[in-house]
Amino acid sequence: MPKYSVRHPEHHLTHRIGWLRAAVLGANDGIVSTASLVIGVAAAHATHANILLTGIAGLVAGAMSMAAGEYVSVHSQSDTENADLARERAELLDDPVAEQRELTGIYVKRGLERNLAEQVAAQLMEHDPLAAHARDELGISDMTAAKPVQAALSSAASFALGAALPLAVVALAPIGALMPAVIAASLLFLGLLGVVAAKIGGANALVGAARVIFWGALAMGVTAAVGALFGAVV
């Protein structure tokens, strides 16, 4: 009896690019900005209630800002993609022969023999010419296409979640130990975030953790210095 090979399952990571980027950015920004904000206010000798209120205001404002900024940014990408697709659609209607030659040339450059490239181009043009040109000429696919609403919601939710972590420490820590507690906890949260993001994205976990910890510590250090300086002046 002939032996049939069972197709092995493949798990690729590119389908995670859109939401992963927005989620990691939102959570990282939520932790860093909120922790830095409350540390700066605490360094200026504010009361515990004012520090907590400032952090909550920063969470709400930051989540809305992240959502709006991500939506506008990704929507601009989506507008560009749609404009390119409209132009490509018009070119396919105007001169499909030239577009097929263009597709053939792309496949030849990628390593196919010309005869085979011509056959592939012809079959793809018969099946879905716009999808073929979008994918192979413009680099647009379903996995990488811009999704503004998804990116905005993901960024806002992840920012709020990230900001809630240092805020929880602020709510629980006594005023005398607030700054070191927030700094230590936030760096821990950032390290864990870097590890999780690296694991999801298939990258090195230690490098991912070290990267976010370094920039988070720098941001908190600078903000604490500014808060102490203005608090001393006041």
Side-chain angles (χ1 to χ4, degrees):
M1 293 180 62
K3 295 182 179 180
Y4 297 96
S5 61
V6 178
R7 184 180 178 185
H8 67 280
E10 296 183 354
H11 303 285
H12 298 290
L13 303 175
T14 52
H15 67 281
R16 301 172 177 172
I17 290 175
W19 68 263
L20 177 61
R21 181 189 67 83
V24 170
L25 176 63
N28 182 82
D29 197 20
I31 296 172
V32 173
S33 63
T34 305
S36 299
L37 181 62
V38 298
I39 288 170
V41 175
H45 311 295
T47 64
H48 191 279
N50 285 338
I51 295 171
L52 185 59
L53 180 60
T54 300
I56 294 172
L59 184 155
V60 175
M64 295 304 298
S65 176
M66 285 292 294
E70 196 70 16
Y71 181 83
V72 171
S73 174
V74 178
H75 209 293
S76 297
Q77 178 188 340
S78 179
D79 290 342
T80 302
E81 291 176 352
N82 290 333
D84 283 340
L85 290 174
R87 186 180 302 109
E88 197 64 35
R89 190 179 292 109
E91 291 174 353
L92 285 167
L93 290 174
D94 183 59
D95 195 347
V97 175
E99 290 301 301
Q100 182 169 325
R101 286 199 301 267
E102 184 178 30
L103 207 57
T104 298
I106 291 172
Y107 298 143
V108 169
K109 289 181 179 179
R110 292 183 180 177
L112 294 183
E113 296 181 357
R114 177 159 292 276
N115 288 338
L116 180 57
E118 290 175 351
Q119 294 176 32
V120 171
Q123 290 186 28
L124 290 176
M125 288 288 288
E126 291 179 3
H127 175 65
D128 191 341
L130 182 60
H133 280 271
R135 180 182 60 253
D136 297 320
E137 181 184 351
L138 303 177
I140 301 173
S141 68
D142 290 337
M143 288 189 297
T144 60
K147 298 178 178 64
V149 174
Q150 181 192 70
L153 293 178
S154 178
S155 293
S158 58
F159 182 97
L161 178 61
L165 296 175
L167 274 181
V169 178
V170 172
L172 297 174
I175 188 65
L178 190 146
M179 285 185 62
V182 170
I183 292 172
S186 297
L187 292 179
L188 175 61
F189 297 147
L190 287 171
L192 292 175
L193 175 64
V195 170
V196 170
K199 289 291 186 181
I200 294 175
N204 184 283
L206 291 179
V207 173
R211 184 165 49 224
V212 294
I213 287 174
F214 171 78
W215 288 107
L218 180 63
M220 286 185 279
V222 171
T223 311
V226 171
L229 175 64
F230 283 92
V233 171
V234 173

